[in-house]
């Protein structure tokens, strides 16, 4: 077991423009764990949705405005999240951030399944809404892709464990 810090050398920008700094945690395959940095800006970051990801956002420092549309309830909600607050965004919910404060907000994004490096689980959209027919097809495709990745991870671990002889028991 080793401790990890955010890896500044692997920083990238998510499709909505937020700076992402990943943590490298060996063996972690089912979820991703990254720090997001949301600088102040006068307007909202672009509205987006995730296809298969369940995302927990935990505010480490600063303050962010959050707007999300939940297709299950048909409601759009806006709220402010400050250090110590956490919220969940489910697949198909739209999400957008604002930061009108004077400092960069830092958040921890925890995503399951793990965020794909090709950004294929994020779709930028023009406004908050329930998924339309094309977006529902994309959501279904993303869920099927996530299941296939998960099956590959689990299958590899099962093969690893079934091919490894158990350690000798003491006294044998």
């Amino acid at each position: 077991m080793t401790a990890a810090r955010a890896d500044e050398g692997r920083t990238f920008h998510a499709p909505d423009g937020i700076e992402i700094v990943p943590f490298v945690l060996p063996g972690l395959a089912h979820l991703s764990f990254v720090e997001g940095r949301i600088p102040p800006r006068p307007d909202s970051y672009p509205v987006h949705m995730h296809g298969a990801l369940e995302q927990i956002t935990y505010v480490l420092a600063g303050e962010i405005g959050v707007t999300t549309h939940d297709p299950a309830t048909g409601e759009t909600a806006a709220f402010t999240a400050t250090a110590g607050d956490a919220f969940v965004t489910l697949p198909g919910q739209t999400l957008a951030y604002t930061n009108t404060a004077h400092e960069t907000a830092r958040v921890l994004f925890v995503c399951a399944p793990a965020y794909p490096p090709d950004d294929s689980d994020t779709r930028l959209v023009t406004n908050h809404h329930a998924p339309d027919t094309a977006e529902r097809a994309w959501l279904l495709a993303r869920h099927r892709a996530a299941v296939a990745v998960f099956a590959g991870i689990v299958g590899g671990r099962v093969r690893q464990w079934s091919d490894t002889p158990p350690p000798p028991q003491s006294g044998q």
Side-chain angles (χ1 to χ4, degrees):
M1 182 70 73
T2 60
R5 296 183 66 78
D7 186 348
E8 301 288 342
R10 297 181 62 204
T11 298
F12 64 96
H13 286 84
D16 64 359
I18 293 174
E19 180 181 34
I20 302 296
V21 185
F23 286 80
V24 178
L25 298 165
L28 189 63
H30 298 289
L31 59 91
S32 55
F33 186 80
V34 303
E35 181 179 321
R37 297 179 181 158
I38 306 172
R41 63 187 265 183
D43 59 340
S44 174
Y45 284 83
V47 180
H48 67 282
M49 70 172 68
H50 294 292
L53 297 178
E54 295 178 357
Q55 178 176 284
I56 298 169
T57 303
Y58 178 77
V59 181
L60 299 166
E63 176 179 298
I64 56 173
V66 180
T67 305
T68 183
H69 178 84
D70 184 350
T73 65
E75 296 179 8
T76 299
F79 58 93
T80 300
T82 61
D85 291 340
F87 57 93
V88 173
T89 310
L90 298 176
Q93 290 180 327
T94 58
L95 177 66
Y97 299 107
T98 59
N99 180 354
T100 57
H102 299 293
E103 63 183 44
T104 295
R106 292 177 44 242
V107 300
L108 187 63
F109 293 123
V110 180
C111 297
Y115 191 89
D118 64 359
D119 293 325
S120 59
D121 203 79
T122 300
R123 177 170 277 192
L124 296 177
V125 296
T126 56
N127 58 17
H128 294 283
H129 63 279
D132 62 25
T133 302
E135 289 164 339
R136 286 195 305 273
W138 172 74
L139 289 162
L140 181 59
R142 288 302 311 147
H143 276 80
R144 288 182 174 146
V147 167
V149 169
F150 181 76
I153 292 166
V154 171
R157 288 181 176 168
V158 167
R159 283 187 298 281
Q160 172 190 358
W161 294 332
S162 62
D163 294 343
T164 304
Q169 300 293 317
S170 60
Q172 289 184 347

